[in-house]
Amino acid sequence: MSDTQNPARVAIVTGGSGGIGRAVAARLAADGLAVVVHYSGNEAKAQDAVKEITAAGGRATAFGGDVAEHEEMAALFQHATDTFGGVDVVAHTAGIMPLAPIAQMDLETFDRIQRTNVRGTFVISQLAAQQVRAGGAIINFSTSITRLQMPTYGAYAASKGAVEAMTLILARELRGRDITVNAVAPGPTATPLFFEGKSEQVINHIASLNPMERLGTPEDIAEVAAFLAGPARWINGQVLYTNGGAA
């Protein structure tokens, strides 16, 4: 059902079916934005996120696709426009994080990380730059690992270094458009992606590294995204390290 006559702001959240993305989608919806919950492979989780948002009185829809494929993401943006009337905020949380020491990671895995995290960010940023309306915000996601420099994260950190570079340059390319472009760089956050493959001992050690002595929560990160999406109009071309003081 089209809702193009409603003047409410509209957000696309990539990777919105779980983890940080789902928290961001819920938080933006709570602020009154209509939300398109993007998913890559798990439609059921995305539909669950939509149900949670609508049950709380918000507006949301789900749409799937590969972030690294331009045509599929162009369809995502068109769905947002057809359903809600346009795009004001893009929160690009989608990404993958296979881990291995540089000396041991196979090139196929390395290429898959770069395709999703670098090419995917480029595709989303390009479409956002073309379509986000004045007064809007583009929010990419990096990682505090670019500062923490933890072993086994080399390929992932390399991809997120590229994300930061693209973000800072895009902010300057959009001069005069009244669109902010920033990156959120979470520290270790309690999501399934973070817990995968880690022992309890390792998890506890990582949680102890910041002065708050805990892992971040998806809601911690979502608060920062909501700030950038709404009132933070004088923050532009920045990377916000959101990690409890770990780096």
Side-chain angles (χ1 to χ4, degrees):
M1 181 177 67
S2 176
D3 198 13
T4 55
Q5 300 306 310
N6 194 309
R9 300 174 78 222
V10 180
I12 292 173
V13 180
T14 68
S17 63
I20 290 173
R22 185 163 180 163
V24 170
R27 183 66 177 79
L28 294 179
D31 282 348
L33 281 76
V35 179
V36 178
V37 178
H38 160 268
Y39 63 93
S40 176
N42 198 324
E43 182 179 3
K45 286 178 64 178
Q47 294 294 351
D48 285 344
V50 168
K51 290 176 184 177
E52 286 185 3
I53 290 170
T54 55
R59 296 183 302 149
T61 182
F63 196 91
D66 181 347
V67 292
E69 289 298 330
H70 185 274
E71 289 187 3
E72 295 182 22
M73 292 302 95
L76 168 68
F77 276 73
Q78 189 61 51
H79 175 76
T81 297
D82 291 344
T83 306
F84 295 125
V87 181
D88 301 283
V89 174
V90 175
H92 178 48
T93 79
I96 61 174
M97 192 177 64
L99 303 179
I102 290 171
Q104 298 172 18
M105 176 171 282
D106 62 87
L107 288 177
E108 183 179 350
T109 301
F110 177 85
D111 288 344
R112 184 161 58 90
I113 294 168
Q114 309 314 312
R115 182 183 183 277
T116 297
N117 295 357
V118 180
R119 177 180 163 126
T121 299
F122 188 90
V123 168
I124 293 296
S125 293
Q126 185 177 74
L127 289 163
Q130 294 166 354
Q131 299 188 44
V132 167
R133 297 183 285 206
I138 300 170
I139 307 162
N140 287 324
F141 272 71
S142 180
T143 174
S144 289
I145 294 297
T146 56
R147 286 187 174 185
L148 294 171
Q149 300 154 2
M150 296 173 63
T152 74
Y153 284 83
Y156 177 71
S159 73
K160 293 302 188 175
V163 168
E164 292 185 9
M166 281 189 281
T167 300
L168 302 187
I169 290 171
L170 181 59
R172 285 142 184 90
E173 290 180 344
L174 297 186
R175 173 184 291 271
R177 293 272 305 278
D178 190 25
I179 297 169
T180 61
V181 188
N182 295 286
V184 179
T189 305
T191 67
L193 183 66
F194 170 79
F195 288 125
E196 186 176 344
K198 294 183 178 70
S199 68
E200 184 176 355
Q201 182 180 7
V202 168
I203 291 168
N204 290 338
H205 170 70
I206 293 173
S208 72
L209 294 177
N210 70 74
M212 308 298 285
E213 296 186 331
R214 67 171 177 85
L215 295 175
T217 67
E219 290 73 24
D220 289 328
I221 312 306
E223 286 293 332
V224 179
F227 180 55
L228 293 174
R233 300 308 301 167
W234 201 232
I235 299 177
N236 190 28
Q238 305 298 320
V239 179
L240 276 66
Y241 291 90
T242 309
N243 55 36

